[in-house]
Amino acid sequence: MKNLTGLCGIPAGDITGLLDLAEGFKEKLVTPEPVFPPLLQNRRIALVFFENSTRTRFSFEIAARHLGAGTLSFSSSGSSVSKGETLSDTIRNLEAMKVDAFVLRHASSGAADFITGITRKSVINAGDGAHEHPTQALLDIFTLRRHFGGISGLKVVILGDVLHSRVARSNIFGLQTLGARVALCCPSTLIPSDAGSLGVDLHTDIDRAIEWADAAIVLRLQLERTTGGYIPSLEEYSAHFGLNDERLEKIRKHLLVLHPGPINREIEISNNVADRIQPPGYSSSMLLEQVTNGVAVRMAVLQALLAS
Ligand code: CP
């Protein structure tokens, strides 16, 4: 594997291999001062972010450092992109400085695949438009696998703004490849036009959807993109599609709750549900556990692509 631009078409064995590798890193990361072999010493990884990020960017940086690699941080606002430099020229110039890999976040779907044709170095997609966010899905799947012991046969509902979500697409591909059943639950205006070809069940009733599911991946309502009449109001969206205590009490079973972040508190998820840590048997939130797992998963991806 040289690049990771999406989970569509990635064989189950490759996904499982990455998760197993991450498992080894995770075990060490729980110790106060984990020490790892510097598998990526003298490697330089360019973190090229054309969109904002907290979790993805920092966890790639920490993951790279744990493995002994150096990172170069790029953000479009502080770069020559603001003078009109193109994505292609940006990548070519960074490659000329001898970087070994690009971690790219970009607003355009397909941007990561596009730069694989520009550079001979490894490319990792850190989120491109509404296309894919493969490392987020890998860390979600890793979190589910650790909790449930496996993915095959698991019922996962992806809940919320699916239309604008790259996380949803990567999770659909990755989870289905490993044998999970995936459903989407959202207002009909937020169902992607190709949903019928994705092999997922469709729900518009959140109560029925969470009653069916073992786990829910709640998505951020992308407020910056939902101004075009997709929802009547935030209050109505929250009332019909928000995950809250009342709904979790009603289903009377354990539902594992994930969210890739950032969260809109009291819109798609209530404060209580987002911060909920319950004993086994009750629904519980994995939000911060997902973030912790993201470091191990990104270490695994960097090692798999770069260590030789
Ligand atoms: N989940 C996620 O991609 O978060 P950031 O936008 O903070 O990286």
Side-chain angles (χ1 to χ4, degrees):
M1 196 187 273
K2 181 186 168 203
N3 303 313
L4 181 66
T5 58
L7 293 191
C8 183
I10 302 286
D14 287 358
I15 296 177
T16 304
L18 288 171
L19 300 180
D20 292 344
L21 200 53
E23 202 63 57
F25 290 131
K26 168 82 183 179
E27 273 172 30
K28 284 195 180 176
L29 281 168
V30 296
T31 60
E33 287 182 39
V35 179
F36 298 96
L39 298 160
L40 301 184
Q41 207 165 26
N42 302 325
R43 301 299 187 101
R44 294 187 201 96
I45 299 166
L47 307 175
V48 183
F49 279 65
F50 284 82
E51 284 188 331
N52 295 337
S53 167
T54 298
R55 282 148 289 271
T56 311
R57 184 174 184 147
F58 280 107
S59 61
F60 265 115
E61 192 157 339
I62 292 168
R65 284 186 191 185
H66 277 315
L67 294 172
T71 54
L72 297 90
S73 261
F74 167 99
S75 55
S76 52
S77 59
S79 74
S80 289
V81 168
S82 61
K83 301 176 209 162
E85 189 163 38
T86 64
L87 173 60
S88 315
D89 283 335
T90 302
I91 297 299
R92 285 191 190 101
N93 278 271
L94 291 171
E95 185 170 349
M97 294 177 216
K98 311 292 178 208
V99 305
D100 297 292
F102 294 95
V103 176
L104 178 74
R105 172 167 289 190
H106 200 279
S108 298
S109 297
D113 282 313
F114 170 71
I115 70 161
T116 62
I118 304 286
T119 176
R120 289 169 287 119
K121 304 300 181 182
S122 287
V123 175
I124 300 169
N125 182 3
D128 60 334
H131 176 224
E132 284 224 36
H133 191 347
T135 60
Q136 177 66 47
L138 286 172
L139 76 88
D140 295 341
I141 295 168
F142 180 78
T143 304
L144 290 167
R145 192 178 81 155
R146 283 181 70 83
H147 185 87
F148 290 104
I151 298 296
S152 185
L154 204 64
K155 291 183 276 182
V156 182
V157 63
I158 300 177
L159 176 60
D161 185 355
V162 182
L163 180 66
H164 300 108
S165 178
R166 49 202 178 205
V167 175
R169 299 186 86 78
S170 290
N171 265 304
I172 291 168
F173 299 135
L175 285 165
Q176 287 180 337
T177 298
L178 298 186
R181 287 174 61 193
V182 182
L184 308 179
C185 178
C186 54
S188 51
T189 49
L190 293 175
I191 297 174
S193 58
D194 63 347
S197 65
L198 294 173
V200 293
D201 293 328
L202 296 175
H203 292 269
T204 49
D205 181 335
I206 181 175
D207 295 309
R208 290 179 66 175
I210 61 173
E211 202 170 343
W212 168 83
D214 301 307
I217 299 175
V218 185
L219 299 174
R220 181 172 74 91
L221 184 62
Q222 299 199 23
L223 296 167
E224 68 276 25
R225 301 186 230 264
T226 47
T227 50
Y230 292 105
I231 56 168
S233 69
L234 292 181
E235 290 73 21
E236 279 204 49
Y237 181 82
S238 182
H240 289 282
F241 291 96
L243 193 59
N244 55 34
D245 270 345
E246 205 182 359
R247 291 206 150 100
L248 291 181
E249 297 306 329
K250 226 165 38 183
I251 58 173
R252 294 182 170 276
K253 66 163 199 182
H254 179 267
L255 181 81
L256 201 70
V257 179
L258 290 81
H259 191 308
I263 60 177
N264 295 307
R265 287 180 175 270
E266 300 295 334
I267 298 177
E268 72 265 2
I269 191 165
S270 70
N271 283 327
N272 280 349
V273 175
D275 302 331
R276 190 172 173 124
I277 298 169
Q278 297 282 3
Y282 292 85
S283 297
S284 50
S285 156
M286 302 300 284
L287 275 60
L288 294 179
E289 182 65 17
Q290 287 171 266
V291 177
T292 302
N293 291 342
V295 175
V297 165
R298 288 172 176 128
M299 287 176 76
V301 169
L302 291 175
Q303 187 189 325
L305 267 57
L306 295 177
S308 52

